[in-house]
Amino acid sequence: MIRVTDILTAGTWEDPAADTIELDREDRHRRRAVMTGAKGTSFMLDEPTAVQLRHGDGLKLEDGRIVEILAAPEELVEIGVDDMGHLVKIAWHLGNRHLPTQLMGETVRIRKDHVIEDMVQRLGGTLTSIMAPFDPEGGAYGHGQTHGHDHGHSHAHGHGHSHSHGHSHDH
């Protein structure tokens, strides 16, 4: 099977893409996977550690072809506010819950979650349901994936999850 030899950052490659592959946010965080592009190109991504692929990145294959990464539209909520003070407060609460959040300047985007949506409204935010690519900020210590506390995966870190103190989550 043909392998990916290089991951080209969006905007740094000029050759036309031979194929594209549309992936949601979860599927764009990979270490090893067999993938098939829209035109049928099958290939293997095999990295030493997990990478976060972004919309517009190119996967350079052994034969020189490039497969372009396209971020798939997902069910999101765009959070707006009347003033930036509310946005800062809302962003703090989202971060405190380790929720993947996409910063859009005057608004932020999160995945749909009725509990979080209720909290945001109580904090003065307005909600707009949208279908759009989701490209949240990476972790605080690099470009890694952030993990919300609502995904059903283990958070066994050897400590409780009281958030009355500062700590880091190295995932």
Side-chain angles (χ1 to χ4, degrees), residues 77-138:
V77 175
E78 190 159 275
I79 301 168
V81 292
D82 291 333
D83 65 76
M84 290 305 287
H86 280 110
L87 188 63
V88 169
K89 188 174 188 177
I90 290 167
W92 184 88
H93 281 279
L94 297 174
N96 191 46
R97 285 161 181 78
H98 304 276
L99 288 176
T101 303
Q102 184 173 358
L103 306 177
M104 304 294 295
E106 303 281 323
T107 61
V108 297
R109 290 179 180 172
I110 61 170
R111 283 200 168 128
K112 289 191 73 58
D113 179 321
H114 70 279
V115 173
I116 300 300
E117 291 171 43
D118 182 60
M119 175 197 75
V120 166
Q121 286 178 315
R122 293 173 191 262
L123 292 170
T126 58
L127 306 173
T128 304
S129 293
I130 63 171
M131 286 294 293
F134 189 44
D135 201 13
E137 290 294 307

Side-chain angles (χ1 to χ4, degrees), residues 58-74:
L59 302 177
K60 188 171 186 178
L61 306 181
E62 290 172 314
D63 63 5
R65 291 180 295 164
I66 296 173
V67 177
E68 183 176 9
I69 300 295
L70 302 176
E74 301 182 48

